[in-house]
Structure formats: C-alpha cells, structure tokens
Amino acid sequence: MKIFRAQFSGFCFGVKRAIKMAEEARLANSSKDIFTLGELIHNPQIVAELKASGIQSADRATDLKDSIVIIRSHGITKGEKETLLQSGNILIDATCPYVNRTHELIASMVAENYPVFIFGDKDHPEVIGMLSYGDDQSRVVTGHTDFSGKQFSKLSLISQTTQNPEAFTALASRLLPLCKELRVFNTICLATTERQQASQALAGVADLMIVIGGKNSSNTRQLHSICKTLTHCLHIETEAELNPASLQGVQTIGLTAGASTPDEMIIKVFNRIKEINRESDFVKSIDQIPLFKEESC
Amino acid sequence: MKIFRAQFSGFCFGVKRAIKMAEEARLANSSKDIFTLGELIHNPQIVAELKASGIQSADRATDLKDSIVIIRSHGITKGEKETLLQSGNILIDATCPYVNRTHELIASMVAENYPVFIFGDKDHPEVIGMLSYGDDQSRVVTGHTDFSGKQFSKLSLISQTTQNPEAFTALASRLLPLCKELRVFNTICLATTERQQASQALAGVADLMIVIGGKNSSNTRQLHSICKTLTHCLHIETEAELNPASLQGVQTIGLTAGASTPDEMIIKVFNRIKEINRESDFVKSIDQIPLFKEESC
C-alpha cells in the first residue's frame, strides 16, 4: 500500500494566525477568562483543546461583557462586533485578513450602490459575517440560484474565501449575460485554491482519498466534494472514524486535510492506517510513503 | 421556395440617427461642403448616395479646416476630435450614443487606474476610437489572445458594440481566474444582440442564408460568421452579387442584414431572388413569404 499526502493540506495562514493569537492571549491573561464568539476555527478537536486551556466559545455576543473576546478566523457580523464593544469587551481580532478584505469590499460596493451577490453557504458564519456588511440589495447566491428573467444594470459578485474557484467562475459566467456591468472580486484565498488543486491531482491517482477535517468546515467539505467525483472518498474528523474494512483492497491512499486541520491529526490518521495494515491480512507491507511531507514516519 | 427575413435585421437606431443627422445637416447648409471623417456608416452604397448629395468622406482629420464635419456613427479618436476643433471645424456628432458610452467608461476606468481590455477588432475604426480614450495599460484583445502566465490585481473588460455576446462572455470567463477583480462592461448593443439571435434562429431552418451588408461592416461580418456555422451562407453587398447558380436546389432562404444596411437593399435582394426564380426551371413558384416584415411583395 502506498500513502500519499496532498502537496498542500492542513492549516492555512489564517488558522495558524488565529491559534497563535489565542495562545498569546492565553499567556498574557493567565488569570482571566477568555472567550471566542463561536468557534475560533472549524475543528472540534482544537476547540476542545482551547476550552481545556480556558478559552471558551460563547454562542451570542450579548452573553459577553467586560471580557477578553477573540474574534474567530472566519469573522463575525458587524452588529456582533458593535455589541461586543458596547459591552466593554476587549477584542482580539483574529479574523483572517482575507475575510476582513471581503468585508471592506462589500462595504465599498454598498457605498457605490452596487447590489452585492455573495457566492457561498448562507448558513456559514463567514458568509453571515460578510452579508452583515451589505445592504438590502445584498444576497447570498450559489451555483443553483435561478436568475431567469433577471437583468442588472450593475452588480458585484464576491466569494466566501473557501469556495471552489471553478464554481465561482461558472457562476460569474452565468451572470455576465444578465449584466450591463458585472464587477467580480475573486476573494477565494490562495490556500483554498492550492489545497483544492493538490487534492484533485492526488484523487486522480488514489484508490481512496481520506479528507481529514471538521464536518462543519466549509473548505474541508469542498475538498471532499471535489475528490469524491474522482475516486472513492472518506471525510473523517479523527483517526477513530477509520474503519479497517474501508481500506480493504486499497492499493493507494491519498490524504488531504482542510485548512483548520492540525498536522498532528494528519499524522494520527497516517499512523492508524499503518496500524490497520499491520492488523490486517489483506496488505502485507507498506511499500512507500511518497509525498508525505514533514513527517518522517 | 420560401423566403424568410430575420425578425430583426437592417438599420439600427445609431445608423438611422446618423443618416438623419447627415440629411438635416445637408438641408441646413445647402451651399456648403460637408464632410464626414471616414465613412458615416459602413455601407458603400449609402456612402455613394451621400457623396452624390455633397457629403464627402475625408480620410484624415488634418485634411479638414473651417468645414462642417459630421462625426461618423462608430466614432473617431480623441486626438482626431481635438484636431478637428483646433482647425475651426464645426462638428455634428453622429457618434452612436452606445459608442460614446464606451468612451466614457474607458475614460472612467483609466481615471480609476484599471487596465482596460477592449474586446474587438483592433483595425476597426470604432475600436481605434475606443482605444484612444485608454492609456498605456489599455489594449485590444480577442478570443484568441494568449493570457498564459498573466495575473491581474484589477482589470476592466469592455466590448466593441457589435461583437458577439457569447464570445464576450467566453473571453470574460477566461480572464476571471486570472484576476483578483474583473470589471466587465457589457457594451454590446441590443440591436447587435437581437440581429445575431434572430439570424441564428433563421439559419437553423434555412437551406441558405443571405447576409446583406458592407464587407467592411463588423456587425454584418459577425452575422455571416454566426450563420455559416449553421447552414450554407452568402455575404453580399448588393443584389448584383447574387449568382443564380447559388440558389439552385434551395428550398428555404433566410435573409438578414447588418445594422448599416438600408431596407431598400433588402428589398432589392428579395426582388432579385424572385426574378432568378422566375428565370430558372429549378423552382416553379414562391410559396410563402413568412416573417418578411414591412415589405408587401
């Protein structure tokens, strides 16, 4: 059996930055409670570790008063930010700079009176945050949104940072014939694009792709969605979900991970695959571990 | 034999307006020479008629001094306009308002420091005029332009008014993945779109399409280019080019005409087809003239 890791996978810049900021806040305020509004990143295991270190996740901005509040990597709404500030909280803004940029762009489009279409998952906190910088002409759209009969004199289109670039281009192409002016902002972050391209390349040669990351992580779900069109594909959060039967007969495994998945978890999954192989009769040895970066195992 | 005329064909708003302005200028200045810089519209027969009425076409702005000059429907360059004004000419601006709009948009994009890509034929006077409102970041592109390795932080894309909307969308779709922000202005005029769609529909049912209009007319050439992919297709300027042999065996003829083709010419072609039919043995009668609008013949 061969195990490959996608060339780009796991923690992105924004997630690393948010965790570092949380750790620094923890060190600098050892005696105080620290909160995040919602989960700092979309990874239940990391969130559990933060909680153990005294960084708790609160559900509502109105629950927080005179506290240290870390704004999560995928951002919060304009209203939540105002509420937090009005209640005497000290904010540590760990919003990914690429997400912050979408807020600025949406606000500038509103100022210039462009209707704003946001390509994304309307229930995702990042998109809810983005939409809060819009106005009553702003809306969330997907590849399935029906625009029949619609015409726009001017329109702006912007993307959740973790969407698929091809799907974004396809949506823009559908809107182009309906618009006198279409202003397209490609705000999909490079980390997302790189992870998707590397996973796609690996899925093309692997019998089985294992996508590791939070079930609530948009970019991890995107990776799963891309890979499953090319090969058999599993989406797991931890190594405990790996079922030995699912590896039966598999010659080549590709590993990839969302931007909120720590390398430690990728290594745990890798080790569990090796363990299953040893336990089983169906594969006798691990031949090769090409492209498995960073880990020496 | 059945003869159909495309639902939309012939003179567009901008061309009708330019001819009317020329006629009015002729009436109001009966004793003076009147010039156009280049051809008023792209139709040699109309240009010959204008010349006969004393409206001549000059090649260079520097040739004109203290004259009445009609600016042609597809516009002139910014520099030519300045030259004409500096030489004491009185300008009658018959530039199509849709072309004027492209000049304004390009100037505003330059003011906002967006590189401007103009989708069009670099040798067409309309495009040469458009480009003169750009700066050193502006360039003319086509569907064949190679963008490999290119990345743009911001870019604007604008079209010659007579281009094909599908080809424009396809070009924009190619540029989208290369741009952080792409600002697409669909400046293809409705008359162009309507004429192309109607011709395409008719070409789908006709054995032979006859496209009538100037060989130097961009929008007429576009119609020919669209129709010839669907059926046998001729591009003629006048009825004299109709070869009886080319109608042999044809059961259904579709007629369409560019935006600079007068109805008189469409009627002449129609009458010549009837004449050829009478002269020939291969078709005995004209069965039907459906969709042949406006003419009663």
Side-chain angles (χ1 to χ4, degrees):
Chain A
M1 177 187 275
K2 293 177 183 175
I3 307 170
F4 295 83
R5 175 176 176 172
Q7 194 181 1
F8 297 100
S9 53
F11 273 3
C12 68
F13 155 76
V15 165
K16 278 184 191 159
R17 176 175 172 273
I19 293 174
K20 189 161 176 271
M21 286 173 85
E23 286 169 351
E24 286 170 357
R26 176 69 293 165
L27 287 171
N29 302 277
S30 54
S31 61
K32 293 179 193 164
D33 275 349
I34 301 178
F35 294 90
T36 63
L37 180 57
E39 297 176 344
L40 183 70
I41 66 170
H42 274 152
N43 186 287
Q45 292 68 44
I46 295 282
V47 170
E49 285 174 23
L50 288 169
K51 192 175 178 181
S53 79
I55 300 179
Q56 296 188 60
S57 152
D59 286 337
R60 287 183 298 270
T62 48
D63 292 344
L64 298 168
K65 199 179 169 191
D66 303 324
S67 300
I68 295 168
V69 181
I70 304 168
I71 300 182
R72 64 194 173 202
S73 58
H74 40 280
I76 60 177
T77 70
K78 197 175 168 180
E80 284 171 329
K81 201 166 183 175
E82 284 161 9
T83 301
L84 289 174
L85 288 171
Q86 281 160 8
S87 307
N89 296 291
I90 295 165
L91 301 192
I92 296 171
D93 193 351
T95 310
C96 169
Y98 298 120
V99 175
N100 258 335
R101 171 92 178 118
T102 68
H103 298 174
E104 287 162 12
L105 286 172
I106 292 170
S108 76
M109 286 301 96
V110 167
E112 292 186 44
N113 199 31
Y114 284 76
V116 178
F117 278 12
I118 300 168
F119 175 55
D121 170 0
K122 70 178 171 46
D123 299 320
H124 192 283
E126 178 183 329
V127 175
I128 293 168
M130 288 169 76
L131 193 60
S132 74
Y133 288 84
D135 62 5
D136 54 7
Q137 294 190 96
S138 309
R139 60 180 288 208
V140 180
V141 295
T142 72
H144 301 293
T145 304
D146 181 13
F147 303 112
S148 50
K150 294 272 194 300
Q151 292 286 333
F152 308 94
S153 62
K154 57 186 198 173
L155 183 67
S156 65
L157 178 66
I158 194 163
S159 181
Q160 181 180 5
T161 59
T162 53
Q163 287 294 323
N164 177 265
E166 282 77 30
F168 184 58
T169 299
L171 174 65
S173 300
R174 282 178 58 215
L175 286 168
L176 278 167
L178 313 178
C179 301
K180 280 288 171 198
E181 181 190 354
L182 179 63
R183 219 164 154 174
V184 186
F185 296 92
N186 180 358
T187 46
I188 298 169
C189 77
L190 183 63
T192 297
T193 307
E194 283 176 345
R195 275 151 189 72
Q196 290 182 1
Q197 287 173 346
S199 298
Q200 194 167 26
L202 189 50
V205 296
D207 302 333
L208 172 68
M209 280 298 289
I210 300 177
V211 180
I212 312 162
K215 297 277 167 72
N216 58 349
S217 156
S218 166
N219 76 85
T220 307
R221 288 207 306 262
Q222 288 285 340
L223 294 179
H224 180 240
S225 167
I226 289 167
C227 294
K228 76 178 180 186
T229 65
L230 295 165
T231 191
H232 187 57
C233 185
L234 299 174
H235 177 183
I236 60 173
E237 285 188 353
T238 73
E239 77 286 5
E241 291 171 64
L242 263 190
N243 180 350
S246 64
L247 304 191
Q248 195 155 6
V250 173
Q251 296 301 315
T252 309
I253 291 182
L255 292 185
T256 188
S260 44
T261 306
D263 271 4
E264 291 75 6
M265 184 51 70
I266 303 173
I267 294 168
K268 280 182 184 170
V269 171
F270 176 64
N271 288 334
R272 177 65 187 136
I273 295 170
K274 288 201 294 181
E275 201 173 76
I276 292 172
N277 265 337
R278 275 195 296 274
E279 288 166 5
S280 312
D281 289 333
F282 55 83
V283 175
K284 298 295 182 188
S285 65
I286 296 171
D287 296 322
Q288 204 182 340
I289 319 169
L291 279 183
F292 202 99
K293 298 192 315 171
E294 295 170 26
E295 292 79 39
S296 58
C297 45
Chain B
M1 178 187 274
K2 294 177 183 174
I3 306 169
F4 295 83
R5 176 176 174 170
Q7 194 181 1
F8 298 99
S9 53
F11 272 3
C12 69
F13 156 76
V15 166
K16 278 184 190 159
R17 177 176 171 274
I19 292 175
K20 188 161 175 273
M21 287 174 85
E23 286 168 351
E24 286 170 355
R26 175 70 291 168
L27 286 172
N29 302 278
S30 54
S31 62
K32 292 178 194 164
D33 275 349
I34 301 177
F35 294 90
T36 63
L37 181 57
E39 297 175 344
L40 183 71
I41 66 169
H42 275 150
N43 186 286
Q45 292 68 43
I46 295 282
V47 170
E49 284 174 24
L50 289 170
K51 192 174 178 182
S53 79
I55 301 178
Q56 297 187 61
S57 151
D59 287 338
R60 287 183 298 269
T62 48
D63 292 343
L64 298 168
K65 197 179 170 190
D66 302 324
S67 303
I68 295 169
V69 182
I70 306 168
I71 300 182
R72 64 193 173 202
S73 57
H74 40 281
I76 60 177
T77 69
K78 197 175 170 181
E80 284 170 329
K81 202 168 182 173
E82 284 161 7
T83 301
L84 289 173
L85 288 171
Q86 282 161 5
S87 308
N89 296 291
I90 296 165
L91 301 192
I92 297 171
D93 193 352
T95 309
C96 169
Y98 298 120
V99 175
N100 258 334
R101 172 91 179 120
T102 68
H103 297 175
E104 286 162 12
L105 287 171
I106 291 169
S108 76
M109 286 302 95
V110 166
E112 293 186 46
N113 199 30
Y114 283 78
V116 178
F117 278 12
I118 300 168
F119 175 54
D121 170 0
K122 70 178 171 49
D123 298 321
H124 191 284
E126 178 183 331
V127 175
I128 295 168
M130 290 169 75
L131 192 59
S132 74
Y133 288 83
D135 63 4
D136 55 5
Q137 293 189 97
S138 309
R139 60 180 287 207
V140 181
V141 295
T142 72
H144 301 293
T145 305
D146 181 13
F147 303 111
S148 51
K150 293 276 194 301
Q151 292 285 333
F152 307 95
S153 61
K154 58 185 197 175
L155 183 68
S156 65
L157 178 67
I158 194 163
S159 181
Q160 182 180 3
T161 59
T162 51
Q163 286 294 324
N164 177 264
E166 282 75 30
F168 183 60
T169 299
L171 174 67
S173 301
R174 282 177 58 213
L175 286 168
L176 279 166
L178 312 179
C179 300
K180 279 290 170 198
E181 180 190 356
L182 178 63
R183 217 165 156 174
V184 186
F185 296 92
N186 180 358
T187 46
I188 297 170
C189 76
L190 183 62
T192 298
T193 307
E194 283 176 346
R195 274 153 190 70
Q196 291 182 1
Q197 287 174 345
S199 298
Q200 194 167 27
L202 189 49
V205 296
D207 302 332
L208 171 68
M209 281 297 288
I210 300 177
V211 180
I212 313 162
K215 297 278 167 69
N216 57 347
S217 155
S218 166
N219 77 85
T220 308
R221 288 206 306 261
Q222 287 286 339
L223 294 179
H224 179 240
S225 168
I226 290 167
C227 294
K228 77 179 180 186
T229 63
L230 295 164
T231 191
H232 187 56
C233 186
L234 299 175
H235 177 182
I236 59 173
E237 286 188 352
T238 73
E239 78 285 4
E241 292 171 64
L242 263 190
N243 180 348
S246 64
L247 304 190
Q248 197 154 6
V250 173
Q251 296 300 314
T252 309
I253 291 181
L255 291 186
T256 188
S260 43
T261 307
D263 271 4
E264 291 75 6
M265 185 51 70
I266 303 172
I267 294 168
K268 280 182 185 170
V269 170
F270 176 65
N271 287 334
R272 178 65 187 136
I273 295 169
K274 287 201 294 181
E275 202 172 73
I276 292 171
N277 265 337
R278 273 197 296 274
E279 287 167 4
S280 312
D281 289 333
F282 55 83
V283 175
K284 298 295 183 191
S285 66
I286 295 170
D287 296 322
Q288 205 181 341
I289 319 168
L291 279 184
F292 201 100
K293 300 191 315 172
E294 297 170 28
E295 292 79 37
S296 56
C297 46

